[in-house]
Amino acid sequence: MESIYYIGLDVHKKSIAYCIKTESGKLVREGTIKAQRESLRQWLQELPAPWIGALEATIFTGWIYDFLKPHALELKVAHPQMLKAITAAKKKNDRADAETLADLLRVNLLPQCYMMPPELRELRRMLRYRNLVVSAATQMKNKMSGLLMEVGAPYSKRRLHGKKYFSELLEKVEDVPDSVKELLVLSRGNLELFTAVQKKLTKSLREEPLIQERVERLMSIPGVGEVMALTWVLEIGEPQRFKNARQAISYCGLCSAQKESAGKERRGPISKKRNKHLQTKLIEAAKLAPHWNPQLALIHDKELKKGNRNRATLAVARKLVEYMLAVERRGTPFKQEVSAKVA
């Protein structure tokens, strides 16, 4: 019977520390290599086979995972927040971390996290860049308003970012230093650039055949717009990863952390262990969705009667998650119930 080797990889920007062990825990080899494709290619040629690997999820993990996966019997990605064996260790260095990963892997105690397919990861990168551009555009809008307020110039907040009104404003405004006008023109140019970029990225994602059908099905839910649907698809990846809606709600950061000991349970604030991109978009959607969806409006009104507006928003966001997960699993567009029942 051919023995299997277990490899722990501690990944960094410029280097990768590795540790190779047998199933019994015997150390075969350890060391450090450069985090470059050529170095990894040479390292792979010297590896004993077959092997199973584990590496911690970091910003550098994606390309290394894709590069090594075809050569491994199995390659797993460890959840960084659940690796208490590393973070709580008294002795902590790269080689020790790699050895701990190898040990957790060979005894089947590695806290594994979901690794999205490469095609969806590429699209997710575009979506997150689009969100960054939108945030920069909002900063430019706020800066333009701030510059005008600093010099006491009157303006219409509703019309300020219209191209025609902005040109007329620069001509009519009085007692404004030339430096402020130059900054306003510069800010306006940046705003137009950011707006054009985000529209181009959104159009590319909208027309992507890989996710187009899923996005259209999700948009059949009243209250779910294009950006919300894109965010769900590209942040969730494969909906089958969730056993039930409660797991999806927890992943989206719409519930509080649970702490139970000796039969006593204590709930804290909303947990920070979540997908922040999904959480932000769901909260934004939940504030507008009741205007378009009667069922969500009933849920919002019921919670609002208890006197907590934030709780009402969270309740709507949770129901949106349930709707989207159901549509994904069923594979058919959303159908509005004739008589809405609120539990």
Side-chain angles (χ1 to χ4, degrees), residues 89-341:
K90 185 175 182 180
K91 179 183 179 183
K92 190 180 185 308
N93 54 56
D94 295 346
R95 291 195 177 188
D97 291 352
E99 184 176 1
T100 302
L101 286 170
D103 286 332
L104 291 172
L105 179 63
R106 68 182 181 83
V107 298
N108 199 26
L109 290 176
L110 186 79
Q112 192 173 354
C113 69
Y114 171 74
M115 198 65 181
M116 191 177 290
E119 302 81 8
L120 291 180
R121 268 187 276 137
E122 291 293 326
L123 297 176
R124 183 181 63 182
R125 186 180 297 116
M126 290 177 60
L127 177 66
R128 290 183 178 180
Y129 188 82
R130 178 257 173 203
N131 295 339
L132 177 66
V133 171
V134 171
S135 177
T138 302
Q139 289 181 359
M140 284 296 103
K141 289 181 179 181
N142 294 337
K143 188 60 182 176
M144 291 169 67
S145 298
L147 287 169
L148 291 168
M149 286 188 286
E150 285 179 12
V151 295
Y155 68 94
S156 171
K157 182 179 180 180
R158 184 176 60 85
R159 301 173 58 196
L160 176 60
H161 306 299
K163 189 173 183 180
K164 182 178 179 181
Y165 176 79
F166 182 78
S167 300
E168 294 175 352
L169 179 66
L170 287 183
E171 294 176 359
K172 295 179 180 179
V173 72
E174 298 178 354
D175 299 327
V176 175
D178 293 337
S179 61
V180 173
K181 290 185 178 181
E182 291 176 1
L183 290 174
L184 286 170
V185 172
L186 181 61
S187 299
R188 176 68 194 183
N190 288 331
L191 177 59
E192 292 178 351
L193 174 63
F194 294 147
T195 303
V197 169
Q198 75 90 8
K199 286 183 178 179
K200 182 179 179 180
L201 291 173
T202 304
K203 182 181 178 182
S204 299
L205 292 170
R206 182 194 310 130
E207 298 173 352
E208 176 57 48
L210 183 64
I211 61 173
Q212 192 172 22
E213 290 185 8
R214 290 179 63 187
V215 171
E216 289 176 356
R217 281 197 297 267
L218 289 170
M219 289 177 64
S220 67
I221 303 172
V224 175
E226 184 178 54
V227 175
M228 180 67 255
L230 285 170
T231 303
W232 171 270
V233 170
L234 297 178
E235 294 294 341
I236 289 294
E238 299 164 320
Q240 296 79 11
R241 58 187 287 207
F242 298 113
K243 295 180 180 179
N244 49 52
R246 292 181 65 183
Q247 287 187 356
I249 289 171
S250 176
Y251 179 78
C252 296
L254 301 176
C255 62
S256 58
Q258 180 184 16
K259 294 182 179 180
E260 184 178 353
S261 179
K264 295 181 179 180
E265 182 180 355
R266 182 171 63 88
R267 288 281 184 173
I270 293 297
S271 176
K272 292 185 178 181
K273 295 181 180 180
R274 84 293 190 211
N275 184 309
K276 63 179 181 180
H277 305 281
L278 258 177
Q279 185 190 55
T280 300
K281 287 296 180 289
L282 279 166
I283 294 300
E284 291 176 357
K287 293 178 179 179
L288 299 174
H291 297 290
W292 306 96
N293 191 318
Q295 290 179 332
L296 296 179
L298 288 173
I299 294 172
H300 185 270
D301 292 342
K302 180 182 177 181
E303 292 294 332
L304 196 58
K305 288 178 182 178
K306 298 177 181 179
N308 194 318
R309 187 172 296 275
N310 291 336
R311 183 176 295 177
T313 301
L314 282 174
V316 173
R318 294 188 189 107
K319 183 57 70 173
L320 276 174
V321 171
E322 293 179 9
Y323 284 166
M324 290 189 286
L325 190 62
V327 167
E328 289 268 73
R329 287 177 171 175
R330 196 168 54 237
T332 57
F334 179 79
K335 292 183 180 180
Q336 188 83 37
E337 296 180 6
V338 178
S339 58
K341 295 182 180 180

Side-chain angles (χ1 to χ4, degrees), residues 2-7 18-22 26-30 42-53 71-73:
E2 195 174 13
S3 60
I4 298 176
Y5 295 88
Y6 296 85
I7 303 178
Y18 68 90
C19 178
I20 306 174
K21 286 193 172 186
T22 61
K26 180 182 177 181
L27 180 64
V28 176
R29 191 193 314 161
E30 62 181 353
Q42 294 177 2
W43 177 73
L44 284 169
Q45 295 175 358
E46 303 171 357
L47 283 183
W51 59 276
I52 299 176
H71 304 277
L73 192 65

Side-chain angles (χ1 to χ4, degrees), residues 8-73:
L9 300 164
D10 188 41
V11 176
H12 296 280
K13 179 181 179 181
K14 296 182 179 180
S15 64
I16 302 173
Y18 68 90
C19 178
I20 306 174
K21 286 193 172 186
T22 61
E23 190 173 1
S24 63
K26 180 182 177 181
L27 180 64
V28 176
R29 191 193 314 161
E30 62 181 353
T32 304
I33 57 175
K34 293 182 179 180
Q36 299 174 356
R37 286 179 172 81
E38 185 60 34
S39 299
L40 282 172
R41 192 175 290 110
Q42 294 177 2
W43 177 73
L44 284 169
Q45 295 175 358
E46 303 171 357
L47 283 183
W51 59 276
I52 299 176
L55 61 161
E56 188 177 354
T58 67
I59 191 175
F60 321 110
T61 298
W63 75 267
I64 298 174
Y65 177 87
D66 295 336
F67 188 86
L68 295 178
K69 196 175 188 316
H71 304 277
L73 192 65

